[in-house]
Amino acid sequence: MQEVFETLGIGDRNPGTSTGESFFGDPGLAAVASHTPTDGTRIGEVALTRREEYDLVMDRALRAFDVWRMTPAPRRGEIVRQIGSELREFKAPLGRLVSFEMGKILQEGLGEVQEMIDIADFAVGQSRMLYGKTMHSERPHHRMYEQWHPLGPVGVISAFNFPVAVYAWNAMIAAVCGDVVVWKGSEKTPLCSLAVQRIISRVLARHDLPEGIFNLVTGDRQVGEWMAKDERIPLISATGSIPMGRSVAHCVASRLGRTILELGGNNAMVVTEKADLEMTARAAVFGAIGTAGQRCTTIRRLLVQEDVFEEVRDRLLGAYAGLRIGDPLDERTVMGPLIDAEAVEQMQAALLRIKEEGGEVISGGEVLDELGGHFVRPALAVAENEFEIVQEETFAPILYLIPFRTLEEGIAKQNGVRQGLSSAIFSRDVGEIEAFLSHRGSDCGIANVNIGTSGAEIGGAFGGEKETGGGREAGSDAWKAYMRRQTNTINWGEELPLAQGIDFGV
Ligand code: UN1
């Protein structure tokens, strides 16, 4: 890994605050240490952002905003295009770092960097398509249209499980919209944040642009709170747990700021008796154990129609028996470790609760102490949708197998949780599929057919309903959340007619 660290500009003790080319912060004062979940060893430390540094970042961000918002959008897109090129060049080392620091397997680490590249490409195109509508006025010699203006500094709070991609969804779109970005990455993956910041700032340094367009701060809850309370930040986009989102939402709403929240999921796949069961099993395995069950989009509940329940269960038992768990950097591994000891404990506690509530763990769940680090065997459990533990999101590879009788009941169970991020149906029957996608079907932000709940492409709007938070990031028209809409009415005539036909008499 030494070579990767050198290529990405990461040392043992690192600065944690950046306004672009300037990196500052002294790890000697207070720092967050990063550990690889593979064997728990400390791999470096990053200085925490202190309040005065945070305020300096905000000053520079506001000054940069003044210049950046007046930079033509396609020109902003050109900078983002170059960031995409730079990411292509550093895809291999950055993907390795993601894998090493976060614990997801190398293929997924590389996939994450690819997701950054994809959203950069998308944003470049978007920079020429920040379209507003024109309307026909009800008054003669009047014209109406709407235009989209940049919003200001956008605060991005991202989570450990996607330490680089989710930042890029926000940052690349915000940047072409003319916003500047203040990023607080997860304190569990500070080296990934630093590496990305170095890549981006190298691109900016080639241009005559002010510092403060892309900014990095490092810290825990405290720094997140500064951001949430900061009236200089009109929009906070936060990814993480539901309690975290609730507190950010309260804080930002109390100052009437805006949020995009991408919080917990409790995603289900509905498998009917008309499904291709071979495909179902493959999709379920990737969806449940990908990123060791630590995606917001992970399949947590497999709702299976009674007649095929046993067959699906047996196929999964077979697939789970042969899974290769271990070093995420080893190309043969399909599942790496959980992020830390707490995650392992939470998984163990959840497995106990399944039993207490009357469910049965039919495969896996063991802690693999012999591997060192935070490795576990993924678990399969037969459960009921109504179990309290099933209603919660446990960020670990536990897949609940839950039977249902009719499709209507299957859909009701799919919707019968407080979260609403992603969902899927496996069926070859067009009627069943359309029912799942209808207004009475899935209540989630994402509803897939014959693919799992995870692995969304950046081209779609990403986000969910209910306690997932309701925000949308990435593709489609998610860019609109990063801008402010202005309606303009222009009178080019000689008279002053009033709307609604009002005769004011003066
Ligand atoms: C997340 O888990 O926060 O759809 C994001 C997926 C990935 C993104 C997940 N493209 O699984």
Side-chain angles (χ1 to χ4, degrees), residues 45-60:
E45 61 184 55
V46 178
L48 293 173
T49 301
R50 289 174 299 153
R51 180 69 212 202
E52 57 270 32
E53 291 164 347
Y54 172 80
D55 284 325
L56 178 79
V57 164
M58 285 311 303
D59 276 356
R60 292 212 184 144

Side-chain angles (χ1 to χ4, degrees), residues 75-281:
R75 170 89 191 117
R76 299 193 294 249
E78 168 57 19
I79 302 291
V80 168
R81 188 189 67 74
Q82 293 183 27
I83 292 174
S85 301
E86 198 80 358
L87 285 166
R88 280 181 169 83
E89 205 169 305
F90 286 88
K91 179 175 172 182
L94 187 57
R96 286 190 90 76
L97 177 67
V98 169
S99 176
F100 188 59
E101 191 179 33
M102 186 276 155
K104 62 178 68 178
I105 60 168
L106 183 58
Q107 275 303 310
E108 292 182 285
L110 293 169
E112 229 200 290
V113 184
Q114 187 58 46
E115 206 161 333
M116 301 178 84
I117 295 167
D118 293 344
I119 195 74
D121 287 358
F122 181 95
V124 177
Q126 190 69 65
S127 73
R128 289 182 186 267
M129 297 186 291
L130 302 171
Y131 299 139
K133 290 186 163 144
T134 62
M135 301 90 184
H136 285 242
S137 170
E138 64 191 55
R139 287 169 280 185
H141 302 133
H142 279 57
R143 184 166 73 79
M144 283 173 76
Y145 77 112
E146 64 186 19
Q147 54 173 336
W148 293 86
H149 292 301
L151 204 55
V154 172
V156 180
I157 299 175
S158 61
F160 78 87
N161 64 332
F162 273 80
V164 296
V166 174
Y167 164 66
W169 295 352
N170 286 280
M172 299 302 114
I173 297 291
V176 298
C177 290
D179 301 326
V180 298
V181 183
V182 180
W183 178 24
K184 184 189 103 57
S186 165
E187 63 270 34
K188 293 178 183 173
T189 50
L191 300 180
C192 285
S193 310
L194 181 65
V196 168
Q197 182 69 9
R198 288 214 190 276
I199 290 172
I200 291 178
S201 51
R202 237 189 334 265
V203 173
L204 292 177
R206 292 184 207 132
H207 300 272
D208 187 22
L209 288 165
E211 286 206 70
I213 297 171
F214 294 94
N215 306 278
L216 177 71
V217 292
T218 300
D220 49 15
R221 231 189 128 83
Q222 173 69 75
V223 178
E225 232 176 84
W226 293 340
M227 292 168 72
K229 288 189 177 151
D230 197 332
E231 289 183 349
R232 295 168 292 187
I233 303 182
L235 170 67
I236 297 274
S237 176
T239 306
S241 69
I242 291 169
M244 181 281 293
R246 228 185 267 284
S247 106
V248 168
H250 269 133
C251 217
V252 179
S254 71
R255 61 175 172 90
L256 300 179
R258 291 194 208 164
T259 47
I260 296 174
L261 298 172
E262 197 246 291
L263 312 175
N266 192 349
N267 318 299
M269 212 163 100
V270 175
V271 183
T272 80
E273 55 194 25
K274 311 257 176 64
D276 175 328
L277 297 186
E278 200 263 329
M279 245 169 76
T280 301

Side-chain angles (χ1 to χ4, degrees), residues 266 346-361 381-394 398 400-402 418:
N266 192 349
Q346 276 167 4
M347 177 174 175
Q348 295 310 302
L351 293 172
L352 272 180
R353 280 178 62 192
I354 296 167
K355 289 175 203 156
E356 279 165 19
E357 293 196 55
E360 190 191 349
V361 178
V382 177
E384 288 299 332
N385 208 52
E386 295 69 31
F387 289 177
E388 268 178 42
I389 187 64
V390 174
Q391 293 283 315
E392 289 170 21
E393 177 192 47
T394 303
I398 303 174
Y400 301 114
L401 306 183
I402 300 165
R418 293 189 305 276

